[in-house]
Amino acid sequence: MTITATLEVFRCAPGGVDGRFESYDVTVHDNATVLDAIEAVWANHDRSLVFRHACHHASCGSCGVLVNGSEVLPCIVDLADALRQRSPVRVEPLRNLPLAGDLVVDVTGFFERMLASTMSITRTAEDALPLDADDDGGRSQAVSVPDGLARFNRFENCVECGICISACPTMATDERFRGPAMLAALGRARAESADPQQREHLLDLADGEHGVWRCHSSWECTQRCPQQVDPAESIMEQRREILRRRFRRRVR
Amino acid sequence: MAVSTPSGPSRVRSAGRWFDVRHRGPGTWAYALNRITGLALVGYLYIHLAVLSLLARGPGSYDRFVDLVRSPLFLALDLVLIAGWLIHALNGLRLTVVGLGFGVRAQRTMLVVATGAGLLALVVSAVLLFGD
Amino acid sequence: MIDVETAHAESMYTRRERPTTAWVWQAATGVLLLILLTVHMIAQHFIVEGGLRTHAEVVDYLRSPVIFVVEHLFLGTVTLHAMLGIRAVLFDFGLAPATERRITSWLTAIGVLTVAYGVWLLWAVAF
């Protein structure tokens, strides 16, 4: 069994130049996802379509887009459901990030934030990766890996898809805002750390005009997150911690 | 490769996104309404202060002004003002409680309760305004 | 793929910002306003028989010492809340720190002028 759908796909050159919607008819298996449909556009209509994808099961976080106006990972959205919502199905790149071309956004700023949060949670499996050049018997000597790269591993549920960045209204105008993903990562890293100094440092990074206090409680990050990370709750918890610390310092 | 941030739409144009409630949840409605009512209430504060300068000019001009604003049109505008206060105050209370890290998981419930309480208070205000 | 050198470079997110109390003041003045506005409205429209409808009634009302103090408090609180609100909206534009400092100075000046005008008005009407 197959279904036929029309997709309205946002197309543009780098920087969002020449942005427009183009329609494509695709015929795919009736249990296809929206990502399958996007791949069908690429395979059957236009090999120049730029889009990101890898795992097809919501764990790599690379395919995030807007489907019918809402941020989703299209690899876990049934095309049939999307069609019931709106036909033709509209596919757009995430918002609040620079457009790199078609459905792909530049995530440099996003990862700068994630790195600043230190992301100290390391999964066992990732520990085994040859993170130091020495570990692999010198085979990759040309690659110099800086100290602390192990911290680069992802923290718990967050798949770093950028959906919360796209959903957050403050992110639309404030590039200095640390944003939901980084603030959630800061909260998670602090919970994980046993080092009091590091915990203080992480709380310091969350404080400030463009830290937790720039959040205006629209709750969109938490509502859109495909992995139940709940950045909004983490932001509120860190506010309380900051206030508690400030109060303790006053009292002493 | 480091990509420099391309010049997107201007920041002011992007601010339209603050009020774009399409495909968004109730939290965005609350946020957008809070911002609109907040800005409008600042405007009202200055109109109010300016109008009250009539008081300093003596009884004549102020009493004529009061006669004007007791017309049904101005009473209706009063109701709009009260609605603005209620939205801003009740949502603000929710933001304060949640923003201090209390009842974070109940924020949606609070939104529903605040909406109900606000509507009730608005009806009571309307009765009091137009009642006599 | 992330370029490791770019990623490890100092970014504006690795530096701590100055701690801020603006949100706390906004919330505190907000809660206070809830009380003061209720008093302001109820006193003027319900406690005073038929509400304040003439110049003479307003003067009488303001000469009550409690009301005179409450109205000053209301003026200061509402102005601080309004200025903090405008500041919060402007800060959402992600402006340069120097611009933000200028905004804070300007709003402080506007707030002081507003309160000064209000205080003058209260005293001019009451006495």
Side-chain angles (χ1 to χ4, degrees), chain B residues 30-116:
Chain B
Y31 158 81
L33 281 172
N34 211 63
R35 188 149 284 208
I36 291 165
T37 52
L39 292 170
L41 287 169
V42 174
Y44 172 76
L45 173 67
Y46 280 94
I47 293 171
H48 188 58
L49 285 171
V51 161
L52 288 180
S53 73
L54 290 176
L55 279 169
R57 289 202 216 148
S61 44
Y62 183 75
D63 292 353
R64 266 196 306 280
F65 168 75
V66 171
D67 283 340
L68 171 72
V69 294
R70 289 186 63 200
S71 67
L73 172 68
F74 277 92
L75 287 183
L77 286 175
D78 278 348
L79 202 60
V80 173
L81 175 66
I82 291 169
W85 278 336
L86 286 170
I87 291 168
H88 200 81
L90 291 168
N91 187 51
L93 207 56
R94 163 183 161 263
L95 294 182
T96 303
V97 173
V98 171
L100 293 171
F102 300 107
V104 173
R105 282 175 189 274
Q107 62 93 16
R108 266 186 99 127
T109 317
M110 278 188 232
L111 199 56
V112 175
V113 172
T115 308

Side-chain angles (χ1 to χ4, degrees), chain A:
Chain A
M1 290 286 284
T2 59
I3 43 173
T4 300
T6 305
L7 260 63
E8 278 174 5
V9 182
F10 184 81
R11 305 295 306 268
C12 71
V17 176
D18 194 21
R20 69 211 178 269
F21 283 98
E22 285 189 10
S23 293
Y24 305 95
D25 293 324
V26 290
T27 302
V28 285
H29 198 268
D30 64 356
N31 60 11
T33 63
V34 174
L35 181 57
D36 293 331
I38 296 169
E39 286 182 297
V41 171
W42 171 81
N44 303 327
H45 290 278
D46 190 346
R47 291 260 163 178
S48 75
L49 177 66
V50 186
F51 64 109
R52 293 201 308 164
H53 69 287
C55 77
H56 289 82
H57 56 246
S59 79
C60 74
S62 56
C63 66
V65 286
L66 299 187
V67 170
N68 298 335
S70 295
E71 289 83 0
V72 291
L73 297 176
C75 63
I76 49 166
V77 175
D78 282 335
L79 180 62
D81 288 342
L83 266 173
R84 264 191 294 277
Q85 222 174 33
R86 185 185 192 275
S87 182
V89 174
R90 183 165 267 215
V91 185
E92 298 161 80
L94 293 179
R95 304 193 278 192
N96 305 341
L97 291 159
L99 288 168
D102 295 344
L103 298 175
V104 174
V105 289
D106 174 11
V107 289
T108 307
F110 175 83
F111 278 100
E112 273 177 8
R113 287 174 171 86
M114 294 313 264
L115 271 154
S117 77
T118 71
M119 304 241 292
S120 59
I121 295 162
T122 304
R123 290 180 175 180
T124 324
E126 288 165 343
D127 265 343
L129 290 172
L131 289 173
D132 291 311
D134 298 336
D135 284 359
D136 64 354
R139 265 173 288 132
S140 58
Q141 274 168 355
V143 184
S144 93
V145 181
D147 290 342
L149 190 63
R151 285 176 167 174
F152 191 31
N153 292 313
R154 76 168 78 109
F155 76 101
E156 297 234 293
N157 281 349
C158 177
V159 293
E160 293 154 359
C161 58
I163 277 177
C164 56
I165 304 298
S166 174
C168 173
T170 304
M171 292 298 317
T173 46
D174 185 6
E175 208 194 342
R176 294 176 62 201
F177 183 36
R178 299 190 186 289
M182 174 176 172
L183 291 170
L186 281 173
R188 193 64 193 84
R190 204 172 107 265
E192 192 73 8
S193 173
D195 173 8
Q197 238 179 331
Q198 175 69 355
R199 287 170 58 81
E200 294 284 292
H201 169 69
L202 293 168
L203 205 55
D204 285 341
L205 283 181
D207 199 355
E209 287 290 353
H210 299 274
V212 285
W213 307 108
R214 197 92 260 113
C215 164
H216 300 302
S217 314
S218 81
W219 244 264
E220 290 294 341
C221 52
T222 288
Q223 200 171 338
R224 307 290 157 186
C225 177
Q227 295 289 353
Q228 286 81 46
V229 169
D230 202 348
E233 182 171 7
S234 177
I235 289 170
M236 299 315 160
E237 275 169 11
Q238 289 174 82
R239 281 184 177 180
R240 192 173 54 191
E241 273 313 303
I242 288 166
L243 291 177
R244 189 176 287 167
R245 182 176 71 173
R246 200 174 288 158
F247 182 73
R248 272 201 304 264
R249 283 178 183 171
R250 281 277 159 76
V251 171
R252 257 180 228 150

